[in-house]
Amino acid sequence: MLEKAGVPVLHELPGVGENLQDHLEVYFQYYCKQPVSLNSKLDLISKGLIGTRWILFKTGLGATNHFESCGFIRSRAGLKWPNIQYHFLPAAMRYDGKAAVKGHGFQVHVGPNKPESRGKLWIESSDPAAKPRILFNYITTEQDKQDWRDTIRLTREVLQQSALDEYRGEEIQPGMDIQSDEQIDQWVKKNVESAYHPSCTCKMGDDNDPMAVLNEQCQVRGLQNLRVVDSSVFPTITNGNLNAPTIMVAEKAADMILGKAPLPKLDAPVWIHPEYATKQR
Ligand SMILES: Cc1cc2nc3c(=O)[nH]c(=O)nc-3n(C[C@H](O)[C@H](O)[C@H](O)COP(=O)(O)OP(=O)(O)OC[C@H]3O[C@@H](n4cnc5c(N)ncnc54)[C@H](O)[C@@H]3O)c2cc1C
């Protein structure tokens, strides 16, 4: 690829740019029967008051990004850890604030966190200002498709629990007419969007892995004094949002670069369903 782009290869590392992963999500929306959602706060006066309060006192609705509750579930037996992530938003609208529903609503942002599909990025020009090519290959394996079907069905089940009865109105989207595998596949294809977590294109790995770009010290294999320290180092995408793990990598790498001894290993207890191998819940 480099040679095709007019860049001489000085050190071959075939894993660079491969193994691209990302988190995808959809908005699963319901109308809200109670007048308590943020949908009523989108007019200029409300936004002005919220902004003023935040500027003056750093309090109120402007002091939060509103994704204050989240959750993780396992979609199938055999998984030790949850693979589906939820963020709850007390409003029904697009991520960028557009296309808010009329009336009150709420939604969860939801998607599987451990996709199997792998994409890649590469260059086609030696001009450093030229944009790279990026191919995500989203939802290209059968397991990824199944994970999305499970996500939609389980999310509907979660949101239809009786605890939400006094708030939950009609399902806005996907909509109760989206039921079969084919309908879900089509709906997801049309509505899914990136959660903006592209990562894993310079993965860390052991000596036997020809696609590993970095060793366990974040050093580029076969070169001296070159490290990569960012969200590209993960071999597989993290099982939650990316920012905190990336900061963790950076803190750890800073210690390595400074030659500091690693902190003692922490054995935090993690709950694992005792029958995870055979039960989904
Ligand atoms: C819209 C959006 C929402 C997100 N929301 C969340 C969230 O809610 N929670 C969460 O955990 N994660 C979230 N993320 C993901 C998270 O922000 C990223 O995963 C994380 O910042 C990745 O860190 P990084 O160091 O790999 O890359 P970046 O943070 O992108 O850092 C790359 C740095 O390199 C610099 N740079 C680029 N080119 C050059 C160059 N040629 N020379 C010098 N410097 C250069 C850039 O200016 C930048 O500072 C979100 C991302 C986006 C885009």
Side-chain angles (χ1 to χ4, degrees), residues 129-228:
K131 290 181 179 162
R133 300 292 305 272
I134 304 175
L135 179 68
F136 275 101
N137 277 331
Y138 289 132
I139 321 180
T140 38
T141 72
E142 198 42 49
Q143 185 62 58
D144 284 353
K145 287 179 194 162
Q146 187 56 44
D147 283 352
W148 270 105
R149 293 171 198 145
D150 294 342
T151 296
I152 298 299
R153 292 189 173 118
L154 288 164
T155 302
R156 190 170 273 150
E157 187 185 338
V158 169
L159 292 175
Q160 288 185 357
Q161 294 301 303
S162 56
L164 280 169
D165 280 355
E166 56 182 300
Y167 297 99
R168 187 189 53 250
E170 202 182 317
E171 183 177 308
I172 302 167
Q173 66 168 29
M176 291 307 277
D177 51 330
I178 306 295
Q179 296 285 348
S180 69
D181 286 359
E182 294 72 31
Q183 287 169 326
I184 293 174
D185 292 353
Q186 283 307 312
W187 187 83
V188 167
K189 198 172 169 185
K190 207 165 152 218
N191 289 280
V192 80
E193 56 183 64
S194 173
Y196 302 107
H197 297 166
S199 51
C200 309
T201 48
C202 262
K203 75 169 183 175
M204 194 181 269
D206 71 22
D207 294 343
N208 304 324
D209 183 349
M211 299 305 274
V213 178
L214 309 175
N215 67 16
E216 77 290 350
Q217 297 273 316
C218 290
Q219 290 163 317
V220 176
R221 290 185 167 279
L223 294 179
Q224 282 181 342
N225 302 326
L226 181 61
R227 297 186 200 235
V228 176

Side-chain angles (χ1 to χ4, degrees), residues 5 13 17-18 20 35 63 83 85 96 115 143 147 154 177 180 206-207 220 242 248 250 254 278:
L13 278 171
E18 300 291 325
L20 176 61
N83 62 329
Q85 178 175 236
D96 57 11
Q143 185 62 58
D147 283 352
L154 288 164
D177 51 330
S180 69
D206 71 22
D207 294 343
V220 176
L242 213 54
M248 242 168 66
T278 51

Side-chain angles (χ1 to χ4, degrees), residues 65 95 195-198 229-232 241-246:
N65 71 4
Y95 206 1
Y196 302 107
H197 297 166
V229 181
D230 62 14
S231 55
S232 68
N241 280 10
L242 213 54
N243 202 28
T246 308

